[in-house]
Structure formats: structure tokens, C-alpha cells
Amino acid sequence: KYIEGAADQQIVQSADVRISGPDYDDDTRDYVSSLIISNVDQTDCGAYYCVIENTDGQCHSQQAKLFVKETLAHWTLNSDGYTGSQYSDVSAHGHAATVSGTPSFVAGADGATGGAVYLTSGSGSGTTGTWNPSQDTGQMSVSAWVNWTGGSDTSIIADKANGWDASQMMWTWGINPSTRKINFVSAGSSDFQTSTDLTDFTMNEWHHLIVTDDASNHAAQLYVDMQLVNTGTLVMGSKTDATIHLGIDAGGRYFCGKLDDVQIYNYVLD
């Protein structure tokens, strides 16, 4: 895959990248048509540009930005991944989640003993810092296995929010029992959600959920059990340094049921 044109941005996964020139090659003392980066990995990520210099000074070209598709965080939420009051992050990024109370581990989505966490108002939820999943790429996906038992208030799967307005949050993802909808919300004003009644979503059973967002066109997608169930528009809030919560929000609304295998990505899953 290539980055064509200095102002364009593409996300690539361990591929060769060509940035169109011209570029001066010091070895051949001639201009070449491209800069080629082979076997792209995380160390190659960043902005590439040309510096043009003469006796009067220098100027820079527009930037071509290169990023690698990555899993930014992966919490298995099983008993083996809980140590020192934290859920370990098994990705390469070390975003361990600090856990509230003493979690209760139950059979996971795959039936494994201790493979998931059963949340209550005082235990099992976690916080994992203020990092922004979409900071570099402008894209994000979050996935989770959920076993929802109902409840009287919105069950929070995950969020990046310190409060309930655009200046205090980026997004909140949960299940609303009164409307029976899965919501991906920004400050309450951009309420992207599934169709009414969750006809394909049965309580007290495991389901795999994915939500995605692309800030370049504000496009959001929601998947239930690997099926795309809705697309729409979501404009995220402005609080890029809000806390990321797992299974709870800043107001104490927790997920009613069980959570398993939560992952966050820096690109749009499809």
C-alpha cells in the first residue's frame, strides 16, 4: 500500500510504503521518484516531509503521515489476567486497568472457568488512564463480549468521559434498558444506536459487540455478533484527556452482567 501525495494519509499494516517524490539521493547524486519504506512497523510511524534548502533559507513540503494498524489495548478480563488489583493489558502498550473492589470471576464467553468478570456497583469495573485511542489516526474501534442481565439504568460497557456534556467526554458505549437500544453516545446529543427492541440481542446470553468511529467523516458503525446492524453519524466530544472506564462511567453507572475480552483499536474494523 502507498501514501500517494504529500498531504494524504493512509493507515497500513506491515507493508512496503512509497511516498512520491521527487527526492534527492545523496548516493547517486540524482533525484529519485520516491522514498520506499520496507516492512513497516511501529518505529516507522510518524510524519514524512521534504526540506528544500538554499542560501536564502529553507521550506518544508506538506506532510505524509504513516501509522500502523494496531490493537492499542486488550483486557482478557479473566482471573489469570488479574494481578495486583489490575486487569493486565496483553497488547504491547501496557494500558493496565486499575480495578474497583474485588472482582468476581465467572465462566467466560468461551465457557472457560474464570474467563469473565461479573460486575456489581462496587466491584469489577476499571479505569485505564486518559490516553486517546484515535489521537494518531482519527479512527477507533472497541469490541467486547457482553452478557447483559438488564437493570434499571444504562449498562456502561466502556467510555472515555469525566461527565455528561461535550466538554467533559469523547464517547460512551452502553445498553439502555428503557429503550432497549445499544447506544454509542457523545454528550447525549449525538445518539447513535441500534434499532429498537434489540430483536437479535437476547438477555442473559453472550454476544459480541463492536463499535467503530472515523473522525474524518464522523461515520460510526455498530456490529452485533459479527453482523453490521447500524451505521450513522457521531461527532465525538472534545475532552481528549478524559478517563477511559471499563464497565462503569464517572457517575457510577455500571454494566449489569458479565464482560469478557475488551479490546480497543486505532482503526475501523470491518
Side-chain angles (χ1 to χ4, degrees):
K1 296 182 180 179
Y2 303 96
I3 295 181
E4 298 286 5
D8 296 335
Q9 174 178 321
Q10 295 284 346
I11 304 168
V12 300
Q13 176 89 41
S14 298
D16 291 350
V17 174
R18 183 186 302 272
I19 301 175
S20 54
D23 179 40
Y24 189 75
D25 189 314
D26 290 326
D27 294 329
T28 63
R29 297 180 179 274
D30 197 4
Y31 286 94
V32 295
S33 61
S34 62
L35 165 67
I36 298 176
I37 306 171
S38 299
N39 299 315
V40 173
D41 61 24
Q42 180 63 34
T43 62
D44 298 309
C45 293
Y48 291 81
Y49 58 91
C50 180
V51 178
I52 304 168
E53 185 175 11
N54 62 20
T55 56
D56 293 325
Q58 63 177 227
C59 64
H60 294 181
S61 69
Q62 292 177 301
Q63 294 182 351
K65 294 182 179 180
L66 171 64
F67 298 100
V68 178
K69 290 181 177 180
E70 288 189 282
T71 303
L72 298 181
H74 181 185
W75 304 280
T76 61
L77 302 186
N78 59 36
S79 56
D80 291 339
Y82 174 69
T83 180
S85 299
Q86 290 187 324
Y87 296 133
S88 299
D89 172 17
V90 298
S91 80
H93 293 278
H95 295 302
T98 300
V99 181
S100 173
T102 301
S104 175
F105 293 102
V106 295
D110 61 357
T113 301
V117 62
Y118 180 82
L119 289 99
T120 68
S121 59
S123 65
S125 59
T127 59
T128 180
T130 60
W131 54 282
N132 180 8
S134 55
Q135 175 177 323
D136 291 331
T137 63
Q139 298 182 0
M140 181 194 73
S141 300
V142 189
S143 68
W145 282 94
V146 306
N147 188 316
W148 181 52
T149 58
S152 59
D153 206 347
T154 298
S155 283
I156 302 298
I157 302 168
D159 79 1
K160 182 172 173 60
N162 294 345
W164 193 249
D165 61 71
S167 66
Q168 292 297 310
M169 70 183 304
M170 287 194 74
W171 49 270
T172 294
W173 185 31
I175 304 174
N176 188 324
S178 61
T179 61
R180 291 187 59 80
K181 294 181 179 181
I182 304 171
N183 293 350
F184 186 44
V185 178
S186 166
S189 59
S190 301
D191 195 355
F192 170 66
Q193 54 202 3
T194 62
S195 57
T196 306
D197 294 333
L198 299 175
T199 53
D200 297 322
F201 189 93
T202 306
M203 291 172 56
N204 300 302
E205 292 183 5
W206 284 107
H207 298 277
H208 189 250
L209 305 184
I210 300 173
V211 66
T212 75
D213 181 80
D214 186 345
S216 67
N217 55 8
H218 306 300
Q221 301 177 108
L222 182 63
Y223 294 82
V224 176
D225 296 327
M226 309 306 291
Q227 300 296 313
L228 180 63
V229 296
N230 201 7
T231 60
T233 300
L234 184 83
V235 179
M236 287 192 179
S238 61
K239 188 66 171 172
T240 57
D241 62 347
T243 299
I244 295 178
H245 299 90
L246 304 178
I248 201 167
D249 66 8
R253 296 183 302 173
Y254 66 97
F255 186 81
C256 293
K258 309 166 190 174
L259 288 180
D260 191 3
D261 205 64
V262 178
Q263 300 188 53
I264 299 180
Y265 310 82
N266 70 345
Y267 61 100
V268 172
L269 293 171
D270 55 24

